[in-house]
Amino acid sequence: DIQMTQSPSSLSASVGDRVTITCRASQSISSYLNWYQQKPEKAPKLLIYAASSLQSGVPSRFSGSGSGTDFTLTISSLQPEDFATYYCQQTYSSPITFGQGTRLEIK
Amino acid sequence: QVQLQESGPGLVKPSETLSLTCTVSGGSISSYYWSWIRQPPGKRLEWIGYIYYSGSTNYNPSLKSRVTISIDTSKNQFSLNLSSVTAADTAVYYCANYQRTTGYYAFDYWGQGTLVTVSS
């Protein structure tokens, strides 16, 4: 199985901050990397697919980059509604696996 | 807009079979892949498996011996059976659409999730 490791596991930031979350795969996954946002008691929401493509309807302050084993999710200017848990996910090979999540909290 | 809704018992006894159904509305189930994903309390998401509308399946090897996913295109539903459950199977279970966009797959539409507790 491909292991997905996110860092940090938790992060405190303020509204307006620029935030970067990192995801590392245990082997190369090309660009088969997605990012999801999950708020408490809600289903995950797709933000970024194919490492850097913005899902329809997602604000442009979200961006993704990377390929191979190292990927980043960047939020350019945090808004109050962005405080949530973020997960990366690989679809390069079966089984599909997720990172452990990064909890983004208000400072 | 595709919508998914999970249904099934919220409490299952140890050693019994967990059975859930996902009803798809706002679109036809006769395309794409349809998946089950779970999230134990406080833990990461775990992919269980998916089914194509034709009936072909792919399961997570960690659960493969206990999992069956089936599809009923006439009802626009797909289902999950997980046998011989233990407390470790307690989780929120999500159904989701696994869709391909420009050659890359992702879970696009999700159900709201349903908590299943395994306890006697």
Side-chain angles (χ1 to χ4, degrees):
Chain A
D1 298 6
I2 296 176
Q3 308 302 317
M4 306 300 293
T5 304
Q6 293 179 230
S7 60
S9 293
S10 64
L11 174 61
S12 294
S14 302
V15 172
D17 283 354
R18 180 183 180 90
V19 167
T20 297
I21 298 169
T22 297
C23 178
R24 176 165 288 176
S26 60
Q27 66 183 75
S28 177
I29 58 170
S30 184
S31 295
Y32 291 87
L33 189 284
N34 304 319
W35 289 98
Y36 298 85
Q37 176 194 66
Q38 186 178 33
K39 295 183 179 180
E41 312 303 321
K42 296 292 186 182
K45 172 188 175 182
L46 178 64
L47 299 176
I48 302 285
Y49 65 94
S52 60
S53 295
L54 192 67
Q55 174 69 351
S56 176
V58 174
S60 59
R61 62 181 180 272
F62 291 92
S63 64
S65 65
S67 67
T69 60
D70 295 314
F71 302 86
T72 59
L73 172 70
T74 299
I75 309 172
S76 60
S77 178
L78 273 174
Q79 298 302 301
E81 60 268 29
D82 299 338
F83 292 94
T85 300
Y86 292 84
Y87 292 93
C88 62
Q89 172 219 11
Q90 67 83 19
T91 59
Y92 179 79
S93 69
S94 184
I96 296 163
T97 49
F98 292 84
Q100 83 277 18
T102 294
R103 185 176 179 183
L104 180 53
E105 301 174 317
I106 301 174
K107 183 182 287 184
Chain B
Q1 176 84 349
V2 174
Q3 294 184 312
L4 296 90
Q5 179 67 57
E6 304 90 351
S7 59
L11 181 64
V12 181
K13 289 182 169 56
S15 80
E16 296 189 343
T17 296
L18 179 160
S19 295
L20 296 174
T21 295
C22 182
T23 300
V24 179
S25 59
S28 174
I29 203 171
S30 296
S31 57
Y32 310 124
Y33 291 87
W34 303 92
S35 189
W36 288 97
I37 299 149
R38 69 181 183 179
Q39 187 172 34
K43 296 188 177 182
R44 75 176 71 191
L45 296 154
E46 179 181 31
W47 171 70
I48 298 171
Y50 60 65
I51 188 166
Y52 195 47
Y53 74 94
S54 64
S56 63
T57 55
N58 185 18
Y59 300 137
N60 192 324
S62 68
L63 298 167
K64 188 174 183 177
S65 64
R66 300 192 291 131
V67 170
T68 302
I69 299 176
S70 58
I71 194 164
D72 187 337
T73 55
S74 67
K75 295 182 178 178
N76 246 31
Q77 294 177 333
F78 63 106
S79 299
L80 168 69
N81 278 357
L82 181 65
S83 63
S84 305
V85 296
T86 69
D89 295 310
T90 294
V92 175
Y93 285 76
Y94 296 100
C95 58
N97 165 248
Y98 189 49
Q99 187 165 333
R100 177 175 172 167
T101 305
T102 63
Y104 294 87
Y105 283 93
F107 297 112
D108 193 352
Y109 297 102
W110 295 66
Q112 65 184 26
T114 186
L115 174 63
V116 179
T117 301
V118 178
S119 175
S120 56

